[in-house]
Amino acid sequence: MAQVNLLTNFSSDELRKIFREEIEIALKTQNEKRRESIPNGFLTRKTVASLFSISLNTLDKYCGLGYLQAYEIGSRILFKESEIENSLIPIKNFDRLKKNDSCHS
């Protein structure tokens, strides 16, 4: 039986495009499955960092200082959504903080 080489019908640019598209589809599917595996009421590190507009390093620092409590589930680090909300501390004298902040700008 004759062996057919289908790859010769494509240019190298076309093959790169096909592989790139297939890899993107596979990664998107994998990310969707990972998101589905997060229990309700939990948030990922990336989500929490985004909510606070901070880097992942700063988030890790806040955990180390005890400001936030992280949980390990398998190989994932997650945060309880309710605890994130409860970790926020009310500011009693916001005007004073704004004035002090403007002095350092």
Side-chain angles (χ1 to χ4, degrees), residues 45-77:
R45 289 175 66 240
K46 189 174 181 178
T47 302
V48 173
S50 178
L51 284 171
F52 288 128
S53 298
I54 58 174
S55 70
L56 292 173
N57 288 338
T58 301
L59 179 63
D60 294 342
K61 183 178 179 179
Y62 287 173
C63 290
L65 292 169
Y67 298 148
L68 298 170
Q69 176 62 53
Y71 297 88
E72 185 174 9
I73 300 174
S75 63
R76 307 203 64 187
I77 303 296

Side-chain angles (χ1 to χ4, degrees), residues 78-105:
L78 300 175
F79 296 85
K80 288 184 181 179
E81 193 169 3
S82 60
E83 290 180 359
I84 295 299
E85 293 172 7
N86 293 335
S87 70
L88 299 174
I89 301 168
I91 299 173
K92 293 182 174 128
N93 193 346
F94 186 70
D95 288 333
R96 180 183 56 81
L97 290 174
K98 286 192 327 187
K99 287 177 187 171
N100 287 342
D101 191 39
S102 64
C103 293
H104 299 290
S105 298

